[in-house]
Amino acid sequence: LGGGGQVAETPRDCLFCGESCKVCADDKLAVADLYFALLENNQGVESLGRFNISRTFCRMWDAIICNEEDYELMLQAADLGGAIPAEIGQLSHCSSINLAKNKFDGQIPDLTPNLCPQDPSQKSKLKELYLEENSLRGTLPRSIGHCGSLTILKAGGNRLEAQLPDQVCMLTMLEEFEMARNNMQGSVPACIGGGEGQDGNVTYPGMKNLTHLYMQYNKLSGELPVSMGNLTKARSIFLHGNELSGNIPDVFYNVPLENQITLFENPSLTPGIPKSLAEKMVREQLRVVFEQLMFGCRPGYEPPKPALWRHFVVDDEWRSSDFCRPCSPGYYRRDDMEQCEACPVGKA
């Protein structure tokens, strides 16, 4: 009874008033195996949490948060190290795994058979995977393509260095993909917005629901894929600080970019701003971020400052270099200079 003789209501999120996830008990032994695998490399780490297998599933480990039909595993900032145990792939009913801000190293393990099942008739429950700010190496496992329910995948701030597998292009429900501040190599997957992969023999659906793509400060090279034009829900695309090259494809007409697209610190990009990005620059000057050299101005001319972008006339004859202005008398500019500078004394 509550105050005044009224019956007290049980909080909807009460985790200790009984089993709030009946099916989660199927994972009891798998979770126990994961716990002891973590314990092997983290003896004495109190932040691993209390564990008692004799309790009911939702109460046996402090790291577990139960929902009605699944559970979350919360081990962020717990000072955990060693490799991420392969036992993680045995979890069947886990919807969110947070291992961010730890000291995990080695490669990301295979996520099969249960966390991301290969059998298409078995739907993965995993919706969120947080691996950022560790010391992980390699790349994402190919089994990531079986995690068809993923909406958030974060692995930034690690030491990942290999090329992303085409299997990421199977993640049609993914909304936020964060791989920033790694050493990722190779190109942005050609199939990111749908289409053929690297071998040309498989067609992928692409990340059609992607809203935020963070791949800045890696070693990505090659041209941006044309399939990026199919990311019709993308609000942010961060690609600065890479080694991208070639022309920027003119494919962003249907990409909203309500926040930003960043392309600066890619010195091998071919100068020239496509019409589809110019249209966004007219509406919002801070939406497209790149070096001014991308206007393609010839020596002796300088690119327009952002405050003037709203005056662009973007038509079928659009060429960004047409909006360059000659340097004022007494000023000069070379190809490697963003703006005109005062001529050295005696050389005006």
Side-chain angles (χ1 to χ4, degrees), residues 20-45:
S20 57
C21 175
K22 302 297 182 182
V23 298
C24 293
D26 297 342
D27 274 9
K28 191 167 188 178
L29 292 180
V31 169
D33 287 343
L34 176 62
Y35 171 81
F36 287 113
L38 285 168
L39 186 63
E40 186 175 341
N41 288 321
N42 295 279
Q43 293 284 347
V45 179

Side-chain angles (χ1 to χ4, degrees), residues 136-200:
L136 299 170
R137 297 182 180 275
T139 187
L140 297 176
R142 293 180 180 274
S143 56
I144 196 73
H146 301 302
C147 306
S149 299
L150 267 181
T151 59
I152 297 176
L153 174 54
K154 293 188 174 185
N158 281 285
R159 299 177 183 176
L160 301 173
E161 68 269 3
Q163 183 162 347
L164 285 171
D166 282 341
Q167 284 73 15
V168 298
C169 301
M170 295 293 293
L171 303 178
T172 58
M173 302 301 293
L174 197 64
E175 297 175 7
E176 189 168 343
F177 186 33
E178 198 264 312
M179 296 291 293
R181 305 179 313 284
N182 279 292
N183 294 306
M184 300 299 299
Q185 300 178 21
S187 59
V188 177
C191 54
I192 192 167
E196 292 184 349
Q198 297 175 50
D199 59 13

Side-chain angles (χ1 to χ4, degrees), residues 293-309:
L293 295 175
M294 287 302 298
F295 273 91
C297 300
R298 64 182 187 270
Y301 284 69
E302 67 177 350
K305 292 179 171 56
L308 300 174
W309 293 358

